[in-house]
Amino acid sequence: MLLIVFIAQNQATVPLQYFGWNGSVGLGLTMFISAVAGGLVIAVVAVARIMQLRSTTAAQRKKLNHWGP
């Protein structure tokens, strides 16, 4: 609900230039898209790090089990 209010209150049109693409977009929509894109980048990095840590943990566990009792 707060996001809808935010977008509705920020309807000013701003020029946008991105890799040769030129246009004008609402400020609220631009900020929303930027926030979503940033969140996706963070999620991808987090998933990669979690997978790396799991792989390391599994390798260490395997090494410990090999030398265990």
Side-chain angles (χ1 to χ4, degrees):
M1 187 67 168
L2 292 174
L3 183 60
I4 294 170
V5 171
F6 175 79
I7 292 173
Q9 290 180 349
N10 290 289
Q11 288 297 316
T13 303
V14 294
L16 184 65
Q17 298 176 359
Y18 188 72
F19 291 118
W21 180 81
N22 296 317
S24 57
V25 181
L27 178 61
L29 181 60
T30 303
M31 292 176 71
F32 173 71
I33 291 171
S34 298
V36 169
L40 289 174
V41 168
I42 294 299
V44 167
V45 170
V47 166
R49 180 65 177 152
I50 289 169
M51 290 174 63
Q52 180 186 28
L53 290 172
R54 285 186 180 178
S55 174
T56 302
T57 303
Q60 289 175 348
R61 188 173 292 150
K62 184 177 180 181
K63 186 176 179 181
L64 286 175
N65 286 339
H66 177 70
W67 295 105

